[in-house]
Protein backbone atom coordinates (compact mmCIF):
# COMPACT_ATOMS: atom_id res chain seq x y z
CA UNK A 1 0.00 0.00 0.00
CA UNK A 2 1.29 3.45 -0.90
CA UNK A 3 2.51 5.56 2.00
CA UNK A 4 0.80 8.88 1.34
CA UNK A 5 3.31 10.72 3.52
CA UNK A 6 6.00 9.84 0.93
CA UNK A 7 3.96 9.56 -2.27
CA UNK A 8 0.98 11.87 -1.96
CA UNK A 9 0.56 12.16 -5.75
CA UNK A 10 0.84 8.43 -6.39
CA UNK A 11 3.93 8.80 -8.57
CA UNK A 12 5.45 5.47 -7.56
CA UNK A 13 2.98 3.58 -9.72
CA UNK A 14 4.33 5.39 -12.78
CA UNK A 15 7.96 4.45 -12.21
CA UNK A 16 9.92 1.42 -13.35
CA UNK A 17 11.83 -0.82 -10.95
CA UNK A 18 15.12 0.82 -11.94
CA UNK A 19 13.63 4.27 -11.38
CA UNK A 20 12.30 3.24 -7.97
CA UNK A 21 15.72 1.87 -7.03
CA UNK A 22 17.33 5.17 -8.04
CA UNK A 23 14.66 7.04 -6.07
CA UNK A 24 15.46 4.98 -3.00
CA UNK A 25 19.20 5.66 -3.42
CA UNK A 26 18.72 9.43 -3.52
CA UNK A 27 16.14 9.30 -0.74
CA UNK A 28 18.61 7.46 1.49
CA UNK A 29 21.25 10.10 0.80
CA UNK A 30 18.81 12.84 1.81
CA UNK A 31 17.79 10.88 4.91
CA UNK A 32 21.34 10.15 6.03
CA UNK A 33 23.33 13.21 4.94
CA UNK A 34 20.92 16.14 4.66
CA UNK A 35 18.04 15.74 7.10
CA UNK A 36 20.17 15.28 10.26
CA UNK A 37 22.11 18.48 9.52
CA UNK A 38 19.81 20.82 7.65
CA UNK A 39 18.54 22.60 10.77
CA UNK A 40 22.07 23.69 11.67
CA UNK A 41 23.00 24.56 8.08
CA UNK A 42 19.84 26.63 7.71
CA UNK A 43 20.19 28.45 11.03
CA UNK A 44 23.88 29.21 10.46
CA UNK A 45 23.51 29.89 6.70
CA UNK A 46 26.07 27.23 5.79
CA UNK A 47 26.42 25.60 2.39
CA UNK A 48 27.84 22.12 3.14
CA UNK A 49 30.54 22.07 0.48
CA UNK A 50 31.75 18.70 1.79
CA UNK A 51 28.61 17.15 0.26
CA UNK A 52 29.58 18.15 -3.29
CA UNK A 53 32.01 15.24 -3.92
CA UNK A 54 29.47 12.88 -2.34
CA UNK A 55 26.84 14.13 -4.77
CA UNK A 56 29.32 13.55 -7.57
CA UNK A 57 29.99 9.97 -6.52
CA UNK A 58 26.25 9.36 -6.28
CA UNK A 59 25.78 10.60 -9.85
CA UNK A 60 23.69 13.67 -9.06
CA UNK A 61 25.81 16.25 -10.90
CA UNK A 62 25.02 16.56 -14.59
CA UNK A 63 22.91 13.43 -14.15
CA UNK A 64 21.09 13.88 -17.47
CA UNK A 65 24.27 14.46 -19.51
CA UNK A 66 26.31 11.79 -21.27
CA UNK A 67 30.03 11.45 -21.81
CA UNK A 68 32.89 13.33 -20.09
CA UNK A 69 32.29 11.45 -16.86
CA UNK A 70 28.59 12.36 -16.69
CA UNK A 71 26.07 9.72 -15.51
CA UNK A 72 23.85 9.74 -18.63
CA UNK A 73 20.58 9.20 -16.78
CA UNK A 74 17.15 9.88 -18.22
CA UNK A 75 15.14 13.06 -17.75
CA UNK A 76 12.75 11.11 -15.49
CA UNK A 77 15.62 9.92 -13.29
CA UNK A 78 16.97 13.45 -13.06
CA UNK A 79 13.51 14.68 -12.07
CA UNK A 80 13.23 11.98 -9.42
CA UNK A 81 16.55 13.05 -7.93
CA UNK A 82 15.50 16.70 -7.89
CA UNK A 83 12.22 15.78 -6.17
CA UNK A 84 14.00 13.86 -3.43
CA UNK A 85 16.65 16.55 -2.90
CA UNK A 86 13.96 19.24 -2.70
CA UNK A 87 12.36 17.26 0.12
CA UNK A 88 15.62 17.65 2.01
CA UNK A 89 16.35 21.30 1.26
CA UNK A 90 15.60 23.64 -1.61
CA UNK A 91 19.04 25.26 -1.49
CA UNK A 92 20.87 21.96 -1.93
CA UNK A 93 18.54 20.92 -4.77
CA UNK A 94 19.24 24.30 -6.35
CA UNK A 95 22.98 23.63 -6.23
CA UNK A 96 22.51 20.36 -8.13
CA UNK A 97 20.32 22.13 -10.70
CA UNK A 98 22.72 25.04 -11.20
CA UNK A 99 25.73 22.75 -11.45
CA UNK A 100 24.11 20.29 -13.85
CA UNK A 101 21.25 21.95 -15.71
CA UNK A 102 22.83 25.39 -16.10
CA UNK A 103 26.63 25.42 -15.92
CA UNK A 104 27.40 21.88 -17.10
CA UNK A 105 24.65 21.82 -19.73
CA UNK A 106 25.87 25.10 -21.23
CA UNK A 107 29.39 23.70 -21.54
CA UNK A 108 28.13 20.33 -22.79
CA UNK A 109 25.92 21.92 -25.46
CA UNK A 110 27.91 24.94 -26.59
CA UNK A 111 31.50 24.46 -25.40
CA UNK A 112 34.43 23.43 -27.53
CA UNK A 113 35.80 19.92 -27.19
CA UNK A 114 38.73 21.31 -25.25
CA UNK A 115 36.41 23.11 -22.84
CA UNK A 116 34.29 20.00 -22.32
CA UNK A 117 37.35 17.89 -21.56
CA UNK A 118 38.74 20.57 -19.26
CA UNK A 119 35.69 21.18 -17.10
CA UNK A 120 32.97 18.54 -17.32
CA UNK A 121 34.70 15.51 -15.74
CA UNK A 122 35.67 17.51 -12.65
CA UNK A 123 32.23 19.07 -12.37
CA UNK A 124 30.51 15.69 -12.68
CA UNK A 125 32.77 14.30 -9.95
CA UNK A 126 32.13 17.26 -7.65
CA UNK A 127 35.78 18.27 -7.73
CA UNK A 128 34.92 21.54 -9.50
CA UNK A 129 31.98 23.87 -8.91
CA UNK A 130 30.38 25.99 -11.61
CA UNK A 131 28.03 28.95 -11.60
CA UNK A 132 25.77 30.50 -14.24
CA UNK A 133 26.01 34.26 -14.64
CA UNK A 134 22.90 35.43 -16.49
CA UNK A 135 20.79 37.44 -14.03
CA UNK A 136 21.59 41.13 -13.52
CA UNK A 137 20.55 43.70 -10.90
CA UNK A 138 18.47 45.75 -13.35
CA UNK A 139 17.67 43.28 -16.14
CA UNK A 140 16.80 40.23 -14.08
CA UNK A 141 17.01 37.11 -16.26
CA UNK A 142 15.97 38.90 -19.46
CA UNK A 143 18.81 38.61 -22.00
CA UNK A 144 17.25 41.35 -24.14
CA UNK A 145 17.76 43.85 -21.30
CA UNK A 146 21.25 42.65 -20.39
CA UNK A 147 23.84 45.39 -19.93
CA UNK A 148 26.96 43.23 -19.47
CA UNK A 149 29.13 43.51 -22.59
CA UNK A 150 32.08 41.64 -24.05
CA UNK A 151 34.51 43.09 -26.59
CA UNK A 152 37.25 41.32 -28.46
CA UNK A 153 40.82 42.43 -27.83
CA UNK A 154 43.21 41.90 -30.71
CA UNK A 155 46.96 41.66 -30.67
CA UNK A 156 49.44 39.56 -28.73
CA UNK A 157 47.00 39.05 -25.85
CA UNK A 158 44.01 38.41 -28.05
CA UNK A 159 40.89 37.50 -26.12
CA UNK A 160 37.81 39.13 -24.64
CA UNK A 161 37.18 41.82 -22.04
CA UNK A 162 33.87 41.53 -20.18
CA UNK A 163 32.34 44.53 -18.41
CA UNK A 164 29.27 44.31 -16.20
CA UNK A 165 27.78 42.88 -13.05
CA UNK A 166 25.53 39.96 -12.21
CA UNK A 167 23.23 39.29 -9.25
CA UNK A 168 21.55 36.29 -7.58
CA UNK A 169 24.20 33.92 -8.92
CA UNK A 170 24.28 30.70 -6.92
CA UNK A 171 27.64 29.52 -5.52
CA UNK A 172 29.71 32.13 -7.40
CA UNK A 173 31.93 32.87 -4.39
CA UNK A 174 33.17 29.26 -4.26
CA UNK A 175 32.92 28.42 -7.96
CA UNK A 176 35.91 27.32 -10.01
CA UNK A 177 34.35 28.30 -13.35
CA UNK A 178 31.63 30.80 -14.26
CA UNK A 179 29.47 30.72 -17.37
CA UNK A 180 28.99 34.44 -18.02
CA UNK A 181 26.51 35.76 -20.57
CA UNK A 182 27.23 39.09 -22.23
CA UNK A 183 26.22 41.19 -25.21
CA UNK A 184 28.64 41.33 -28.14
CA UNK A 185 28.55 42.81 -31.62
CA UNK A 186 27.19 39.45 -32.77
CA UNK A 187 24.52 39.15 -30.09
CA UNK A 188 24.46 37.49 -26.67
CA UNK A 189 27.26 34.98 -26.15
CA UNK A 190 28.43 32.81 -23.28
CA UNK A 191 31.97 32.94 -21.88
CA UNK A 192 33.79 30.57 -19.56
CA UNK A 193 35.53 32.64 -16.92
CA UNK A 194 37.76 30.86 -14.37
CA UNK A 195 37.17 32.27 -10.90
CA UNK A 196 40.78 33.45 -10.60
CA UNK A 197 40.54 35.71 -13.65
CA UNK A 198 41.62 39.32 -13.01
CA UNK A 199 38.59 41.51 -12.34
CA UNK A 200 36.35 38.64 -11.24
CA UNK A 201 34.84 39.32 -7.82
CA UNK A 202 31.99 37.59 -6.00
CA UNK A 203 30.32 38.87 -2.82
CA UNK A 204 27.61 36.76 -1.15
CA UNK A 205 24.25 38.32 -0.31
CA UNK A 206 23.97 38.54 3.47
CA UNK A 207 21.78 38.23 5.40
CA UNK A 208 18.93 36.43 3.64
CA UNK A 209 15.92 34.37 4.66
CA UNK A 210 15.46 31.98 1.75
CA UNK A 211 17.99 29.43 0.41
CA UNK A 212 20.01 29.77 3.61
CA UNK A 213 21.88 26.50 3.10
CA UNK A 214 23.06 27.84 -0.25
CA UNK A 215 25.07 30.84 -1.45
CA UNK A 216 23.74 33.61 -3.68
CA UNK A 217 25.78 36.51 -4.99
Amino acid sequence: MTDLTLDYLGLDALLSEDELTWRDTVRAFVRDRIRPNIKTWYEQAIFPVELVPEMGRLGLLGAHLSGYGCPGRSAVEYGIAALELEAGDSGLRTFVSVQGSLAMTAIHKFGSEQQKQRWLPGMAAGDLIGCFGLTEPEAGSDPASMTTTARRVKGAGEGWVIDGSKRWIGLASIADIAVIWARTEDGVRGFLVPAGTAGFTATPIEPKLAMRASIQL
Side-chain angles (χ1 to χ4, degrees):
M1 184 175 180
T2 299
D3 183 349
L4 291 181
T5 62
L6 297 176
D7 187 27
Y8 188 75
L9 299 178
L11 299 179
D12 286 4
L14 304 176
L15 303 177
S16 68
E17 287 300 318
D18 287 345
E19 289 166 346
L20 288 171
T21 298
W22 170 239
R23 187 278 316 274
D24 289 343
T25 298
V26 181
R27 182 171 291 178
F29 174 77
V30 172
R31 180 196 65 221
D32 297 339
R33 299 295 289 123
I34 295 178
R35 287 189 181 278
N37 303 299
I38 191 57
K39 179 180 179 181
T40 298
W41 294 336
Y42 183 90
E43 290 178 346
Q44 298 181 12
I46 294 172
F47 173 73
V49 69
E50 67 274 10
L51 289 190
V52 175
E54 294 184 38
M55 291 176 172
R57 289 192 293 271
L58 196 62
L60 292 172
L61 305 179
H64 61 301
L65 302 176
S66 298
Y68 309 98
C70 300
R73 290 191 172 274
S74 69
V76 171
E77 289 172 315
Y78 180 41
I80 291 169
L83 184 67
E84 294 299 323
L85 289 167
E86 184 73 25
D89 179 70
S90 188
L92 296 180
R93 192 277 310 155
T94 296
F95 161 70
V96 170
S97 297
V98 170
Q99 177 90 342
S101 290
L102 296 181
M104 291 179 68
T105 293
I107 297 171
H108 194 276
K109 187 172 184 178
F110 300 112
S112 67
E113 184 62 26
Q114 182 181 14
Q115 290 169 337
K116 293 175 186 179
Q117 294 285 357
R118 169 67 180 87
W119 297 107
L120 290 178
M123 295 175 78
D127 296 329
L128 300 173
I129 293 176
C131 66
F132 191 83
L134 171 65
T135 311
E136 296 186 354
E138 301 299 328
S141 297
D142 176 17
S145 302
M146 182 183 300
T147 60
T148 298
T149 61
R151 56 184 175 84
R152 189 184 293 275
V153 176
K154 298 182 179 180
E158 184 172 353
W160 292 84
V161 173
I162 302 174
D163 292 303
S165 61
K166 302 292 181 177
R167 197 61 163 157
W168 305 291
I169 309 303
L171 284 302
S173 64
I174 62 172
D176 300 284
I177 184 69
V179 180
I180 301 296
W181 299 91
R183 303 178 69 90
T184 74
E185 293 180 350
D186 300 319
V188 174
R189 296 182 62 174
F191 297 86
L192 293 184
V193 182
T197 302
F200 181 94
T201 60
T203 305
I205 297 172
E206 294 178 346
K208 59 186 174 68
L209 179 61
M211 300 287 189
R212 287 181 57 79
S214 184
I215 303 171
Q216 274 69 44
L217 283 290

